[in-house]
Amino acid sequence: MSPAAMVELTIDGKKVAVPPDTTVFDAARMNGVAIPTLCHQQNETPIGVCRVCVVDVGARVLAASCVRPAETGMVVNTSSEKVQQARRTLVELLMSDHPSPCARQQHTGDCELELLAKEAGVSKPRFPRRTTGRGKDESSLSISVEFDACILCDRCIRGCSEIRENYVLGRMGKGGTAGIAFDNNLPMGSSSCVSCGECMVSCPTGALTNKFVTGTDFAKGADVQNVSVEELEALQVFKGVSGTFLSLNKGAVVRRRFRKGDVICSEGEYGSSAFYILDGKARVSISSPIAHVKTHGGARGFLSKLTSALAKRQEDTRDEETDQRFIHIDAPIDLAYENPVAELGPGDLFGEMTCMSLYPRSATVRAETDCTMLEMLRNVLDIMQRNKNFRAHIEDSYRQRALHSHLRGVPVFSTLTEDFISSLRDNVELIRCAPGHVICRQGDVADSFYLVRIGFVKVSRSHPGGEMVMAYLSRGDYFGEIGLLQGDVRTATCTALDHVELVKISGEDFNRIVNEFPQVRRKLEEVENKRLQENRERLALAQNVPLESFLAQGLMEAQSLLVLDLERCTRCDACVRACADAHDGITRLVRDGLRFDRYLVATSCRQCRDPLCMVGCPVGSIRRRNSLEVIIEDWCIGCGLCANNCPYGNINLHPFEVMVEDLQRPGRKKAAVKQKACGCDLCTEQAEPSCVYACPHDAAHRVEPSKFFAELLGQAPAIAQKR
């Protein structure tokens, strides 16, 4: 460029020449003059919001150098007393609304605002601080958001939109309520943020910081190798993942090598990681006996003994179970009930539910050949699931391998033809929901049908007394059929309880299913009628019995309660001993619990209408029939999560000695003790429950709570009966 085309100006007494359209900030930087700034980075468009870069250009007011173009003949002073005083006041104002030291200053000591304050000699701002905090957002697994540390410099917004082109971040509010928001003011973890880390890298303060995971380093061993960022970025599934993020989370993903026959993970054990197979094959199976706990009775009477044993489906057929042909596990494929074994290969990911929601392992995975896998923690898996390349790979694998068994595993869809399922493959949409996300709301127009692929969904309805939980749905369950069949609106609100993945089938494809397969329509209509009837009964119950009287104690959620009349009970414990004697010494009753009026609600399974025990079961073996009776399926792996989840302590683990496969010596079996979950079965083999029969003072009763308590409250005649 010819000298004539250059812009000549004076900066701090030095004559300089710069190209046209150069800002004063860049002109100073190009000539070795440093001007402090908080909102400006060289790779982002300058916007002049922090004003810390002000300089004196001889105008009426000081100018923000990052947005002021250099002009011929301009005289710039970057460090006069007037300029320094203005900067000091600006920094002091920002510090008055900034927690010091912030998270970044604590971790790395390089908060740009606090460093400027130190240089300016600002220790304690003169201006009053904000009286109320703006809070934190810890919903993201990888990035921590502290709104009080945000100075509204907009560097994160420009990094997200200009550099990464994700367009997730933006400003919201005005004046004192202005702030940074994700999408339409969603929590960061629920937004479309892919956790690339650019906002975190751009942020000058501790408003956006890396969430260092406790225990990031895996246990070291001969089969464990650290993986460099360069190696990860070379893998196709990591394409597009921020190298900055991977660098900040070194150790959160390792390479594991397994020899043929090695056990990678075992069913029922707790873990916190997921596995991605790079090469080799693995065998996934359930080794627990496929049987449920069955109580066998002898001679009837007070002194009779009952024996608990494991009963297979062929020996003890239970209604509504024979249609269940697949066992849903935490892997991209389901296990056939008759032969619960499958094969995993390169490109398969397993352990998602364990990793994201810390549920027990749902199956045992063993190396079928020598294998190489990546093992990753929650923060890395969360990033991977948001990565477009990885999601496309997982979704394609699901469509090709698992969609068929998933649909066939739902009894009402068992008659769909191969050709029809193939036609659905490219039309279904896989949706990922963060905990607490509302999938569909009561009253919305029904336009889609959903299958649960991963996680748990809560179904609830609103009524004048509040919200009532109707069901918990897990992998293999479905919802949305009622509104579509009626051509109307949603009859309930469905919410993700944890990290949920859904298969979304459009209303158009759903109509194709029910029109081309009349038997599917009939089955869905039967389910619809049962669900609507249940809803009517529960809503009638909520209207007829005062919620405030015993809703807080959870009594209304029960279907069957063991109540003890404390005016008759002598605390002899005959009921407890009778229960233990009748069940191999494993009592299913504790003479303690909540009290209502003169009655003690003993600790024994209530057959809850809102069964929290079902939430989190890794194999979906605890469920309830359409009668609302909670049952435990044959393939329970004995992890104990249901027992831990039951808020009333009403589920127990019953040990049994069984023969299982010897993992150390393939092809051979060995004796082992396996646990199976069990609850009160009301002594179905007896004329009446042993606890009730054994009570010498007629104090123990099994009652239907809504009717029993309604009578106590003077709303209906007593229907409580001794069973």
Side-chain angles (χ1 to χ4, degrees), residues 568-577 591 694-697 699:
R568 296 188 175 192
C569 178
T570 62
R571 285 66 169 173
C572 65
D573 272 347
C575 55
V576 177
R577 290 195 299 272
R591 192 180 53 78
C695 180
H697 306 290

Side-chain angles (χ1 to χ4, degrees), residues 486-698:
Q486 295 181 345
D488 200 357
V489 297
R490 302 291 186 193
T491 58
T493 297
C494 297
T495 309
L497 280 180
D498 50 16
H499 296 274
V500 170
E501 291 197 11
L502 303 166
V503 180
K504 182 179 179 181
I505 299 176
S506 68
E508 181 180 345
D509 283 331
F510 178 84
N511 289 330
R512 282 177 54 211
I513 294 174
V514 297
N515 290 333
E516 294 185 28
F517 299 90
Q519 63 273 42
V520 172
R521 174 184 284 275
R522 286 195 298 272
K523 290 180 180 179
L524 285 172
E525 288 175 344
E526 289 175 5
V527 173
E528 173 195 11
N529 292 332
K530 289 178 181 178
R531 288 180 173 178
L532 290 175
Q533 180 60 30
E534 292 171 13
N535 294 347
R536 285 191 290 268
E537 291 175 356
R538 300 195 70 195
L539 290 176
L541 170 64
Q543 295 166 359
N544 293 334
V545 181
L547 291 178
E548 64 275 10
S549 298
F550 56 94
L551 182 60
Q553 296 192 44
L555 303 181
M556 198 188 83
E557 289 302 319
Q559 292 187 103
S560 175
L561 290 177
L562 175 64
V563 297
L564 303 178
D565 187 337
L566 296 179
E567 292 183 356
R568 296 188 175 192
C569 178
T570 62
R571 285 66 169 173
C572 65
D573 272 347
C575 55
V576 177
R577 290 195 299 272
C579 182
D581 289 343
H583 296 93
D584 302 328
I586 308 295
T587 183
R588 302 176 188 185
L589 161 66
V590 177
R591 192 180 53 78
D592 190 16
L594 301 170
R595 300 194 179 207
F596 186 86
D597 196 56
R598 71 174 191 268
Y599 293 95
L600 170 72
V601 181
T603 300
S604 181
C605 184
R606 302 177 175 186
Q607 307 293 342
C608 297
R609 290 182 170 84
D610 181 7
L612 297 176
C613 54
M614 292 172 55
V615 179
C617 178
V619 291
S621 64
I622 183 167
R623 65 179 187 84
R624 67 181 182 194
R625 294 169 166 160
N626 289 330
S627 64
L628 300 187
E629 177 189 355
V630 176
I631 63 172
I632 299 171
E633 296 268 23
D634 299 9
W635 55 85
C636 165
I637 61 175
C639 66
L641 188 61
C642 56
N644 293 333
N645 284 347
C646 177
Y648 316 114
N650 293 339
I651 294 182
N652 303 298
L653 294 176
H654 199 309
F656 295 95
E657 186 174 302
V658 296
M659 299 300 293
V660 298
E661 182 181 356
D662 189 343
L663 297 177
Q664 304 303 321
R665 294 180 293 177
R668 303 186 64 177
K669 292 185 176 290
K670 65 178 182 179
V673 174
K674 289 282 185 178
Q675 297 185 127
K676 286 279 187 174
C678 62
C680 176
D681 58 2
L682 299 178
C683 295
T684 52
E685 294 292 319
Q686 299 287 76
E688 60 185 351
S690 298
C691 53
V692 175
Y693 186 90
C695 180
H697 306 290
D698 196 31

Side-chain angles (χ1 to χ4, degrees), residues 137-146 182 188-189 193-201 207-212 245 248-249 379 382-383:
D137 180 357
E138 299 290 348
S139 59
S140 169
L141 293 179
S142 54
I143 298 175
S144 178
V145 184
E146 185 176 359
F182 303 90
M188 189 179 196
C193 171
V194 297
S195 298
C196 68
E198 191 63 46
C199 61
M200 181 176 60
V201 175
L208 295 161
T209 54
N210 180 57
K211 192 180 282 187
F212 294 95
F245 171 81
L248 290 169
N249 290 274
N379 52 338
D382 183 61
I383 297 301

Side-chain angles (χ1 to χ4, degrees), residues 262-297:
D262 287 349
V263 176
I264 299 161
C265 60
S266 299
E267 63 194 56
E269 69 181 13
Y270 281 83
S272 59
S273 61
F275 294 86
Y276 180 79
I277 303 178
L278 294 175
D279 60 65
K281 295 181 179 179
R283 178 176 179 266
V284 57
S285 63
I286 289 181
S287 60
S288 290
I290 306 297
H292 56 265
V293 179
K294 172 73 172 177
T295 302
H296 299 279

